[in-house]
Amino acid sequence: MRSTVQPSLAVGLAVALGLSSCAPVPDGADAALEDAVPAQPAMPPVYETVRLPSAIAHVMTIPDPVRYPVQVAVVNDLARVDQIVSQVCEGEGCAAAAINAGFFDPNNGLTTSYVMQDGALVADPNQNDRLIGNPDLTSYMDRILNRSEFRRYDCGGTPSYDITFHQEPVPAGCALVDAVGAGPQLLPQDTSVEEGFIDRTVARDALGSQSPNARSAVGLKADGSVVLVMVAEVPGVSPSGMTMAEVAGLMGDRGVTQALNLDGGSSSTLMYDGTTHYGRLNSAGDLVQRPVKSILWVANPDWGVE
């Protein structure tokens, strides 16, 4: 299922007035429609904090991902989310929000997820020998290299978003602009087994899905909204955070129909309006600021670079 933007108000009004696309349009009708349909105001991202006894969920809803597109950024060397955002601001325009995204190997700084940026493959897990050459992962490699990803398409000039497996073809009439792999999918169902995260025959649970933890996720609603979620641990509470099922429930309660788990734990970070929220606490109860490989960032059209 692909989440797309809503039809224009002008189209809807034309139908309501009986102006079929097959019927001749009276002279001046276009102007009348333009006068009758005011320009739709921008709907900026909406930030919400959900405080629970053992978790703090930072929820960012982007109701207008056309005006506020959700894009991908990746760095060659690991960097904190706010540092990557600073680079984005220098090169392309500032960000209204950002969240950590794909998996990576902290030992060598190389990706374990596919990442596409502006139509080009900029991070390839096949180039990570510690992943590809790991004998413990050989039986799972086909599934690892087909894990789910968040995608942004250009469909005839209209942005469209999807969450799907890496090898899923691009819809006809669309071009793949950005993509970042992670996984598993949380909604409409959990795909941990299909993606090699869970193997019940050997009690394998690579992400500790059933244990509370700091977590990050991205979701899509039926109305086209994009939702970013970062779950943080609570100081002085142990265990703290959420299981993956709990994250899925939180997102489902907010109308999300498709959801993708992103890198979590110490990587979990969400930045909004100049404030950075971190997910993981160390043994002393201090927030952990861990460098990451890639982010999803929300462009703010009102914050251009002079």
Side-chain angles (χ1 to χ4, degrees):
M1 180 175 65
R2 183 158 54 92
S3 178
T4 59
V5 297
Q6 298 296 304
S8 71
L9 292 177
V11 172
L13 184 58
V15 173
L17 295 176
L19 300 177
S20 166
S21 59
C22 298
V25 179
D27 292 341
D30 287 342
L33 282 175
E34 290 177 2
D35 292 339
V37 181
Q40 188 173 7
M43 296 180 289
V46 178
Y47 172 77
E48 174 191 9
T49 302
V50 182
R51 297 187 180 276
L52 303 169
S54 59
I56 301 172
H58 302 273
V59 181
M60 176 70 58
T61 301
I62 303 96
D64 188 357
V66 174
R67 182 169 172 80
Y68 294 84
V70 182
Q71 303 179 55
V72 171
V74 68
V75 291
N76 292 326
D77 298 319
L78 301 183
R80 296 198 315 269
V81 170
D82 55 351
Q83 293 172 329
I84 302 176
V85 168
S86 296
Q87 296 177 28
V88 167
C89 288
E90 290 175 1
E92 303 181 46
C94 288
I99 194 170
N100 66 290
F103 296 114
F104 63 95
D105 185 338
N107 292 295
N108 58 16
L110 297 179
T111 187
T112 57
S113 304
Y114 289 101
V115 183
M116 287 193 65
Q117 184 177 352
D118 297 327
L121 181 65
V122 293
D124 185 347
N126 289 285
Q127 298 178 356
N128 188 342
D129 291 338
R130 279 176 48 86
L131 172 68
I132 301 300
N134 188 336
D136 295 333
L137 300 178
T138 300
S139 61
Y140 306 104
M141 196 54 61
D142 288 345
R143 284 176 280 177
I144 290 173
L145 295 178
N146 190 34
R147 283 177 171 166
S148 296
E149 58 192 22
F150 175 84
R151 292 180 174 183
R152 179 169 69 99
Y153 300 122
D154 180 346
C155 301
T158 301
S160 178
Y161 300 85
D162 198 8
I163 292 171
T164 189
F165 292 106
H166 173 71
Q167 294 174 9
E168 188 72 15
V170 174
C174 298
L176 182 58
V177 180
D178 288 337
V180 61
Q185 295 180 41
L186 303 177
L187 294 170
Q189 62 267 330
D190 188 307
T191 58
S192 294
V193 174
E194 293 87 337
E195 300 189 40
F197 291 107
I198 288 180
D199 184 348
R200 295 187 177 90
T201 62
V202 294
R204 169 183 165 83
D205 185 356
L207 299 178
S209 63
Q210 299 181 52
S211 300
N213 200 356
R215 300 191 186 275
S216 298
V218 58
L220 302 173
K221 299 173 68 173
D223 66 1
S225 299
V226 179
V227 179
L228 309 178
V229 173
M230 193 280 283
V231 175
E233 297 176 343
V234 177
V237 177
S238 181
S240 188
M242 284 187 175
T243 66
M244 283 193 185
E246 290 170 339
V247 175
L250 175 77
M251 299 180 79
D253 289 344
R254 280 154 180 77
V256 172
T257 57
Q258 291 179 275
L260 177 69
N261 178 68
L262 302 173
D263 192 11
S266 299
S267 296
S268 289
T269 312
L270 185 141
M271 184 176 178
Y272 170 62
D273 198 21
T275 300
T276 305
H277 304 279
Y278 299 97
R280 172 61 67 81
L281 302 170
N282 61 22
S283 58
D286 298 323
L287 293 168
V288 176
Q289 303 180 36
R290 180 185 184 182
V292 299
K293 182 70 176 178
S294 58
I295 64 171
L296 292 173
W297 65 281
V298 183
N300 189 331
D302 302 319
W303 294 354
V305 176
E306 296 295 330

